[in-house]
Amino acid sequence: MIKRVICILVLLISFSNFGQGFTKHTVVKGETVPAIAQKYKVTPYDIYKLNPDSQNGIKENSILLIPKSIPQSNSSAAAPKIPASNKVTDYIVVTGDTKYNVAKRFGISVEELELQNPEIKESLPLGFNLKIKAVAAPKSVIIPEKAQIKESNLLEYTVKAGETLYSLTRLFNLTEASLMGLNPDLSDGLKEGMVLKVPANLSFSKENKNTLKDLSKTLSSQQKKKLVLFLPFNTSKIQNDTVTLVSERLKKDKFLNMTLDFYSGALMAIDSAKVLGMNFDVKIFDSEETKNTTSAVSIVSGADFTNTHAVIGPFYQVNVEKVASVLENKNIPVISPLSKEEGKSYTNLYQSMPQNDAMKNAMFDYMRAKNGNIIAVVDPKKNAVKQYLQEYQKGIKLVGVNEKGGFVGDSIKKYFVKNRMNYVVLVSEKTGVIFTVTNTMQSSLKDYPLQLVILEPNETLDFEEIALSRLTKLKMAYPSASRENETSESQQFANAFKKKNRIFPNQYAIRGFDLTFDTMLRLSQGQTFEESANTTASEQIESKYDYAKKLSGGYANNGIYILYYDEDLTIKQAQ
């Protein structure tokens, strides 16, 4: 009773701050909070603040209070601006706040929010003073991109049977976030017959992007191209070191080792380009990086980049953004080699690593394309994933795990159906939960078609306690930015790399080769890198490059694989 009174008092205070500046909205069938927020040009946070119960879902004919205006400068109810630096910011918890929406607003994960504020591990008390340091962390949800596009510059497209959100991103060469920004109703899921708004200047006929093109077969003779690589060797740190100290540094410095691996792969790509007759002037600079600083900007300022056709690097997202910023007016493509962060958008910035939100959605698109019955088992500590599923993956069956980390196997079995593939999405790292889920699935295989799914790497599954045979029997599937390549071409590369470097290539060496070689191939097609990115998807040894334009500027890579463990103990690509 006391808690309810406090909530009412807070609401009354909020109303007085608004000066009665709110509108009543009656929810119609199919509406969501994000869609309503878009309609009234407010944020979902604004609606949650006035209507705390709406965070648990909204029902048809229910009444929501919608603020008419919240001036950022003087309203205590306004959402705080995200800090531009890593300084600690105070934030007072108000009615309607959840760990999820607070973390999302500051650009961090729920886990990071709890790490910074251990006191909120169990709950988020009203009025609690949070200490928040905004850091660059992977987004756990798709944030629809806001785009200022006039209605006259939009076309309507009717969704056809069998189309998925992922297939539409390839058709329109847009990211999922861009499509959702133009079409807020997509948060309820894609449906046949739905009418979507898309930019009028996009081509509807991109069949060539639906198949992967071997760019080495379409090289054209042309003038010499200039490619620049910024790699963080950080040589200033080791210039005065003895051979012994350098040797010790190499044993301990994982970042330096990763850089050297990437570099060795890039050198292999440069050699391969020469063999194919590609005409390049390649310059490699030491970007001297920390997480927030780089010498790359001063190098750009002090050198002539006018005739540069593409830049790869630096490694850290904030640093590659700085380089993209200073080269944007020259329209020089700057390619981020390793970061999965969304970051800031620049028209010339290309994210070569698929982002985490796109990976999750590609997995759900695959399951829906197979007409799957999707069931998710979610650990209570994975609140961010639960919120993501509730807001962006409608129609799935959610099975909760209790606070002690257990649940009854029958609680998922009751959702199994006989005439469709039953995909069980496991979101827990607890050994007991994994055993219960997989035991239930294995014992039901004779009666139901079943497949285990994970959305991101799960370290618990690597323990010897979890037998590999258990995962292969259930053909565990997952989204990945790279594939397992056992072709003869891949083996030839590995052997050539070992001959040159006396060791087989690891993931960073292969990544260095794939990205550098793909970039050089695209620049050797008789067109610009941007033109190639708009029209062509390609594949190298372990990576796929299917660049999609972001409405906010720049490109994201939608080259994602769906892989699964097969019973012959190999990892295969799902069809």
Side-chain angles (χ1 to χ4, degrees):
M1 182 67 183
I2 294 175
K3 185 177 180 181
R4 181 176 177 82
V5 171
I6 293 173
C7 289
I8 292 173
L9 286 173
V10 172
L11 279 175
L12 289 173
I13 292 170
S14 298
F15 290 162
S16 65
N17 285 337
F18 286 123
Q20 300 300 321
F22 56 86
T23 302
K24 291 183 179 180
H25 174 83
T26 303
V27 178
V28 298
K29 187 176 181 180
E31 276 192 319
T32 64
V33 170
I36 295 170
Q38 182 88 1
K39 178 178 179 180
Y40 287 94
K41 293 182 171 52
V42 297
T43 69
Y45 170 82
D46 298 328
I47 296 178
Y48 291 141
K49 181 172 289 296
L50 286 178
N51 309 270
D53 291 342
S54 66
Q55 293 192 82
N56 299 320
I58 55 177
K59 297 179 180 179
E60 184 179 0
N61 295 323
S62 60
I63 305 296
L64 293 178
L65 297 177
I66 312 295
K68 289 182 179 178
S69 176
I70 304 178
Q72 292 282 347
S73 58
N74 56 16
S75 174
S76 62
K81 294 180 180 179
I82 296 176
S85 67
N86 281 347
K87 68 178 182 181
V88 174
T89 299
D90 287 315
Y91 176 73
I92 306 299
V93 178
V94 297
T95 303
D97 277 339
T98 66
K99 294 181 192 178
Y100 172 75
N101 62 31
V102 171
K104 184 170 71 172
R105 191 178 316 125
F106 283 89
I108 61 176
S109 65
V110 171
E111 290 76 13
E112 182 64 28
L113 181 67
E114 292 177 341
L115 191 64
Q116 294 179 19
N117 301 271
E119 304 88 345
I120 66 167
K121 204 81 172 168
E122 300 300 323
S123 62
L124 188 65
L126 190 68
F128 185 80
N129 186 10
L130 292 170
K131 302 288 185 181
I132 301 175
K133 180 188 289 186
V135 297
K139 298 285 194 298
S140 58
V141 299
I142 290 184
I143 309 300
E145 292 181 1
K146 294 182 180 179
Q148 302 300 322
I149 300 180
K150 296 179 180 178
E151 286 291 326
S152 59
N153 293 329
L154 294 173
L155 292 177
E156 291 187 343
Y157 177 84
T158 303
V159 177
K160 302 178 182 63
E163 287 186 315
T164 65
L165 194 56
Y166 181 63
S167 69
L168 290 177
T169 63
R170 294 173 65 87
L171 178 64
F172 301 126
N173 197 33
L174 287 173
T175 62
E176 292 184 8
S178 295
L179 274 176
M180 292 180 70
L182 290 171
N183 303 276
D185 289 345
L186 282 175
S187 61
D188 282 336
L190 185 72
K191 303 176 183 66
E192 181 182 351
M194 179 182 284
V195 178
L196 301 179
K197 294 179 180 179
V198 297
N201 60 349
L202 293 178
S203 170
F204 278 50
S205 56
K206 290 188 178 289
E207 288 82 2
N208 57 337
K209 286 211 77 176
N210 293 329
T211 56
L212 297 170
K213 184 178 180 180
D214 185 351
L215 296 172
S216 66
K217 306 296 185 185
T218 53
L219 300 176
S220 64
S221 59
Q222 54 192 313
Q223 63 181 14
K224 181 176 287 188
K225 300 289 184 179
K226 184 177 178 182
L227 174 65
V228 170
L229 278 74
F230 281 116
L231 303 180
F233 299 110
N234 293 331
T235 52
S236 62
K237 293 181 179 180
I238 58 176
Q239 280 178 347
N240 299 319
D241 285 355
T242 65
V243 174
T244 303
L245 287 174
V246 171
S247 177
E248 288 300 313
R249 180 183 290 274
L250 286 171
K251 289 180 182 178
K252 299 176 181 178
D253 194 332
K254 293 181 179 179
F255 188 70
L256 177 57
N257 275 279
M258 178 183 70
T259 301
L260 294 174
D261 289 332
F262 189 96
Y263 174 57
S264 62
L267 290 181
M268 289 288 291
I270 294 167
D271 287 344
S272 298
K274 289 178 182 176
V275 171
L276 291 175
M278 288 188 269
N279 192 7
F280 271 88
D281 174 18
V282 181
K283 294 189 181 300
I284 300 174
F285 294 100
D286 185 354
S287 53
E288 293 280 359
E289 288 187 64
T290 67
K291 289 183 179 180
N292 297 301
T293 64
T294 178
S295 64
V297 176
S298 61
I299 292 173
V300 171
S301 300
D304 183 10
F305 272 67
T306 303
N307 297 319
T308 301
H309 295 87
V311 173
I312 296 176
F315 277 13
Y316 284 113
Q317 180 67 24
V318 66
N319 294 332
V320 81
E321 288 171 7
K322 291 175 182 177
V323 173
S325 174
V326 296
L327 291 177
E328 188 173 29
N329 63 337
K330 292 183 172 66
N331 198 30
I332 297 174
V334 177
I335 306 161
S336 177
L338 297 174
S339 174
K340 293 182 180 179
E341 298 170 20
E342 186 173 347
K344 297 178 181 177
S345 294
Y346 296 92
T347 57
N348 61 330
L349 181 57
Y350 295 75
Q351 300 288 155
S352 70
M353 288 294 287
Q355 293 168 0
N356 290 326
D357 51 14
M359 302 264 280
K360 292 188 185 78
N361 281 275
M363 188 71 242
F364 280 97
D365 262 2
Y366 169 81
M367 292 186 284
R368 288 196 170 94
K370 297 291 184 181
N371 191 33
N373 175 44
I374 308 173
I375 306 155
V377 179
V378 184
D379 190 286
K381 291 186 177 180
K382 301 291 184 179
N383 190 51
V385 179
K386 183 179 178 181
Q387 294 264 8
Y388 158 77
L389 296 175
Q390 290 174 329
E391 290 191 29
Y392 297 97
Q393 300 298 341
K394 306 293 184 180
I396 68 171
K397 288 86 174 177
L398 270 174
V399 179
V401 177
N402 63 39
E403 291 297 331
K404 294 183 179 179
F407 79 106
V408 180
D410 286 344
S411 63
I412 59 170
K413 190 173 181 179
K414 68 180 182 181
Y415 292 117
F416 294 167
V417 296
K418 291 184 179 291
N419 59 343
R420 297 162 66 190
M421 175 59 75
N422 297 276
Y423 294 104
V424 179
V425 180
L426 179 61
V427 188
S428 176
E429 293 165 359
K430 291 186 171 65
T431 305
V433 173
I434 294 172
F435 272 119
T436 304
V437 169
T438 53
N439 283 341
T440 302
M441 292 180 70
Q442 285 186 110
S443 64
S444 303
L445 277 172
K446 61 181 182 297
D447 300 314
Y448 303 97
L450 294 161
Q451 188 167 10
L452 181 65
V453 172
I454 58 173
L455 300 177
E456 53 193 6
N458 187 331
E459 291 183 0
T460 308
L461 297 175
D462 296 330
F463 295 160
E464 291 183 5
E465 194 174 354
I466 309 295
L468 181 60
S469 58
R470 182 180 291 261
L471 306 180
T472 57
K473 191 173 183 180
L474 295 172
K475 296 192 173 182
M476 186 180 77
Y478 60 98
S480 176
S482 60
R483 60 171 175 165
E484 297 284 327
N485 190 346
E486 301 295 335
T487 62
S488 59
E489 291 83 359
S490 174
Q491 193 59 49
Q492 288 171 11
F493 167 79
N495 291 335
F497 186 94
K498 184 181 180 184
K499 185 176 181 180
K500 185 174 183 178
N501 299 282
R502 299 181 182 180
I503 191 173
F504 281 113
N506 64 11
Q507 61 174 323
Y508 295 110
I510 297 174
R511 181 72 187 169
F513 175 86
D514 278 0
L515 181 58
T516 306
F517 194 52
D518 188 79
T519 301
M520 298 176 84
L521 285 170
R522 288 180 181 275
L523 293 175
S524 302
Q525 302 296 310
Q527 56 184 184
T528 65
F529 187 90
E530 182 180 12
E531 288 169 338
S532 174
N534 280 326
T535 60
T536 308
S538 61
E539 187 174 49
Q540 304 307 330
I541 295 172
E542 287 190 356
S543 306
K544 193 168 12 177
Y545 299 95
D546 185 5
Y547 291 107
K549 185 174 289 187
K550 299 164 62 177
L551 292 181
S552 57
Y555 291 78
N557 182 14
N558 282 340
I560 300 167
Y561 297 99
I562 304 299
L563 306 178
Y564 71 95
Y565 286 35
D566 205 356
E567 291 190 72
D568 61 2
L569 303 183
T570 62
I571 295 177
K572 290 188 171 64
Q573 188 174 338
Q575 301 299 319

